[in-house]
């Protein structure tokens, strides 16, 4: 493994620090009690980071999302950890009846409204709903939505959710409709143990600036191993995809090794 890859997170950490340090200091000066609310402070810092770099992260995944979200998302769509709502721009309004953005960091909510409106999703028309619970709180999700959803989307979110294996299982069991689809694009534990060692080493400091984001989770494996999925059909339409695949052009040694996936729940 190359030295430059092992230390590639340093530049992102520097940028994350630069984007969030002063806003955090100003917020603490305004409200010193924030020092005793570390999770609120972390969310404020991540909001500042995402305001500045969320657009770049979206651009880096544009081709993946065009191939994953636009052709497949339909009906009632629940976007887990919606951030600033970048998913909305990939939704095909002729197929999606409602965009539900779940985002526990409520500082992001105004941004989601602004991002979703030009694509036809608004609260006033009933086509946009915001949820502020975590993805792990499946009881609240089902009760707020009033049922299950046709499409579940997770973009760069499972790295932050508590107890990821259990959360993924419960989401698929309780929140996704039978016959519904799960679409994801996540950075996951690398296949190479050498890279994984670096992912483990960097995760504690990375998580401090990026709201608990872990670099080393094999969430793609947890998803693939679930027994709730329909078998992959032997014959599929050309270009149709089910299962997991990698991000085209990505260095396999990357600390941010991505996996993309589409699974359909058994009826
Ligand atoms: C890296 S951002 C990705 C945002 C968005 N999906 C995108 O791709 O632009 C991760 C998001 O997950 C959210 N998040 C953190 N913990 C979460 C949880 N327990 N449940 C749901 N979302 C969570 C964060 O607030 C953040 O907005």
């Amino acid at each position: 493994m190359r030295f430059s890859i092992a230390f590639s997170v340093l530049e992102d950490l520097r940028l994350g620090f630069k984007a969030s340090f002063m806003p955090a200091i100003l917020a603490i000066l305004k409200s010193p009690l924030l020092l005793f609310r570390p999770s609120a402070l972390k969310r404020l810092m991540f909001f500042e980071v995402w305001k500045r770099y969320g657009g770049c992260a979206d651009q880096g995944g544009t081709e993946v999302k065009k191939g994953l979200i636009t052709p497949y998302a339909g009906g009632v769509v629940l976007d887990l950890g919606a951030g600033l709502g970048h998913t909305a721009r990939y939704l095909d309004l002729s197929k999606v009846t409602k965009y539900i953005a779940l985002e526990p960091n409520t500082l992001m909510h105004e941004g989601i409204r602004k991002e979703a409106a030009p694509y036809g999703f608004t609260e006033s028309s009933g086509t946009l709903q915001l949820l502020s619970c975590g993805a792990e709180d499946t009881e609240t999700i089902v009760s707020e939505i009033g049922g299950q959803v046709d499409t579940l989307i997770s973009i760069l979110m499972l790295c932050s959710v508590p107890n990821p294996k259990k959360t993924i299982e419960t989401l698929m069991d309780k929140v996704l409709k039978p016959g519904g689809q799960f679409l994801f694009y996540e950075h996951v534990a690398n296949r190479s143990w050498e890279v994984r060692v670096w992912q483990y080493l960097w995760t504690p400091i990375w998580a401090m600036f990026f709201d608990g984001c872990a670099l080393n989770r094999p969430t793609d494996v947890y998803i693939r191993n679930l027994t709730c999925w329909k078998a992959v059909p032997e014959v599929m339409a050309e270009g149709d995809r089910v299962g997991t695949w990698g991000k085209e052009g990505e260095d396999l040694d990357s600390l941010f090794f991505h996996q993309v996936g589409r699974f359909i729940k058994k009826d």
Side-chain angles (χ1 to χ4, degrees), residues 26 88 104 107 126 139 151 158 161 164-165 170 200 254 262:
L26 292 175
L107 296 170
E139 269 184 33
T151 311
L158 293 171
V161 83
K165 190 164 186 281
T170 317
Y200 272 91
S254 174
R262 173 181 176 234

Side-chain angles (χ1 to χ4, degrees), residues 28-29 50 54 93 97 100 110 118 136-137 147 155 158 161 165 171 176 180 197 201 214 223 225 230 252 265 267:
I28 290 166
L29 289 174
W50 209 243
L93 193 56
T97 52
I100 305 173
E110 207 36 50
E136 66 282 8
D137 190 355
I155 309 289
L158 293 171
V161 83
K165 190 164 186 281
L171 280 165
L176 186 61
V197 168
L201 290 174
I223 296 163
N225 287 347
K230 251 187 190 165
L252 293 182
K265 189 171 163 180
D267 290 313

Side-chain angles (χ1 to χ4, degrees), residues 143-164:
S143 96
E144 297 248 334
I145 294 176
Q148 294 177 308
V149 301
D150 303 287
T151 311
L152 255 184
I153 296 182
S154 177
I155 309 289
L156 309 177
M157 186 288 302
L158 293 171
C159 47
S160 313
V161 83
N163 202 350

Side-chain angles (χ1 to χ4, degrees), residues 108-149:
M108 309 270 197
H109 283 194
E110 207 36 50
I112 297 175
R113 290 187 183 99
K114 282 202 185 117
E115 173 66 30
Y119 299 98
F121 301 101
T122 59
E123 286 168 299
S124 56
S125 67
T127 51
L128 171 69
Q129 184 177 358
L130 296 182
L131 301 182
S132 33
C133 58
E136 66 282 8
D137 190 355
T138 48
E139 269 184 33
T140 305
I141 297 175
V142 173
S143 96
E144 297 248 334
I145 294 176
Q148 294 177 308
V149 301

